[in-house]
Every structure is written in C-alpha cells, then in structure tokens.
Amino acid sequence: LTVRLPFVVIGGGLTAIDTATESLAYYIVHIEPLLRRYEALVDEIGETAVRASWTPDEAVIATEFLAHARAIQKERENAANEGRKPQFIDLLNQWGGVTVAYRRRIIDSPSYPLPPDAITPALEEGIRFAECLVPEEVEIDAHGAATAIRFAKQRFDDAGVASTAEMVTLPARTVLVAAGTQPNTVLAREDEHNVHIDGRYFQALDEQGN
C-alpha cells in the first residue's frame, strides 16, 4: 500500500489508535527499501535511466520518499554514533505526522476509559488526537489523490447535544478509516451503481471485475 504523509485516521477506539501508531511505523519500512533499490539501480544504469519511465506524479512522490528515507537513514547514523536509539517522531511530525480525528470528545471515545497503557503510549509517541470532528469531504488533487479532509467541528452543550461550530480542514495525503467493529457498508447505499453488497460485506471482485 502506497501511503503519503500527513495521515488522518477517522475513529476514536483502540483500532484507530493502533492504526495511527502502525501507520508511522509502516511509513518508515515503506520508504527505506525504496531508497536502497533506487541507489542500487542508479549505480547499475544511472539516474537518468532510472527516472526515465516515471510519470510526473510518480517523480514527485518518489522524490519525496527518497528525501524522507535519506533523513531517516541520517538519524539512524547519528543515533549509532551517539549510542542511542533512533528518534523518528520529530521527522515524521515535520512531514505531517498522524492525527486521529474523532466525532466526539476524547473523554467519550471508546479508548479513553480503558487502562492508561492503552492510549497514553500512543500520545507519548507523538500521535495527535483531534476531537469533535465529523468528516464532510475529502479534497483531492489533479491526479485524484487526497490532499486534505474537511470536517464539521462540533460543539456540545451541557445536555450533550451537538451543533456545528465551524469547519476545519486538515492536510491529509492518506485517509485511514478505523471506525466501528462491524463492516461499514454505507458506501453501497451512497453509490449503489458502483458498489454492491454480498451479505454483510462488500461484494468481492477479481482483477477482471467479475
């Protein structure tokens, strides 16, 4: 799965927290092999030949990944020289990091009443938690890729009734949905001509669309 920072995770439970922490870990193992492969190919056939087949969009993404991978590599070298563990979170946050966006308050989230070791380490790792945000629209670029997600920010009165206070936009190159323990098949009702249901799940299709 190709992912780009910043990440936004929709949800508020432990699955959302796990998704946020794992997405940052995955990003590092996603880009470092690319750098190794790229450098090996450049040594073999030259940089011009390596880049010749890339589309303009692929060139932008690859250049971004290579720069990030080199920064990760540099931090690994610095940590080894200084006898410490590599610290990647500052770099990841510079590149956008990950935000968990929840429709209610953090005290209402399924993960909040659990033992502190369920959520505190994630926050200590640099995961951001944005509360009272209801997703409204994903903004895309000319290639159809996500660039941001727009939310309605909710305000709760003393009775717990929500109203929209303002609109908020978060940068998001990757949107990960981690909401609910049951299959979320709302899309099939919203786009019934393209998405179909098989029992409780989306209908599976092979590579030929059958």
Side-chain angles (χ1 to χ4, degrees):
L1 177 66
T2 299
V3 296
R4 297 177 69 188
L5 291 165
F7 301 143
V8 171
V9 178
I10 308 299
L14 286 182
T15 301
I17 298 299
D18 285 346
T19 300
T21 56
E22 291 298 321
S23 66
L24 294 183
Y26 174 77
Y27 185 71
I28 293 173
V29 301
H30 177 53
I31 63 175
E32 285 191 302
L34 172 66
L35 176 60
R36 292 192 294 269
R37 179 64 173 160
Y38 176 79
E39 291 178 337
L41 286 172
V42 167
D43 288 342
E44 182 179 339
I45 62 174
E47 187 172 30
T48 300
V50 173
R51 291 176 173 265
S53 63
W54 294 355
T55 66
D57 188 41
E58 288 171 340
V60 169
I61 296 172
T63 300
E64 175 184 296
F65 285 173
L66 292 170
H68 291 179
R70 289 188 176 105
I72 292 292
Q73 189 178 66
K74 183 64 176 177
E75 170 57 16
R76 288 194 189 279
E77 293 171 358
N78 291 340
N81 292 334
E82 296 167 12
R84 59 175 174 82
K85 291 183 177 180
Q87 299 294 323
F88 300 129
I89 191 59
D90 288 342
L91 290 172
L92 292 165
N93 281 335
Q94 286 176 26
W95 303 327
V98 60
T99 301
V100 176
Y102 184 50
R103 62 188 176 84
R104 299 185 67 84
R105 299 167 298 179
I106 190 171
I107 61 173
D108 301 319
S109 75
S111 57
Y112 183 80
L114 296 171
D117 59 354
I119 186 173
T120 302
L123 299 177
E124 292 174 346
E125 288 179 22
I127 304 304
R128 295 186 293 269
F129 197 107
E131 53 186 4
C132 303
L133 297 182
V134 178
E136 292 284 331
E137 179 183 11
V138 175
E139 298 177 2
I140 60 175
D141 62 17
H143 303 283
T147 59
I149 182 166
R150 191 161 60 90
F151 296 90
K153 186 171 180 61
Q154 303 291 291
R155 178 187 293 118
F156 291 86
D157 61 20
D158 294 338
V161 178
S163 60
T164 299
E166 59 181 319
M167 301 304 295
V168 175
T169 300
L170 296 180
R173 283 291 186 179
T174 302
V175 179
L176 303 167
V177 180
T181 57
Q182 299 297 320
N184 184 346
T185 56
V186 172
L187 183 61
R189 296 197 297 273
E190 296 176 344
D191 189 11
E192 61 184 14
H193 296 296
N194 296 306
V195 183
H196 305 285
I197 295 295
D198 182 5
R200 295 173 55 230
Y201 302 93
F202 289 122
Q203 186 179 65
L205 303 176
D206 62 19
E207 293 181 359
Q208 285 71 46
N210 299 315

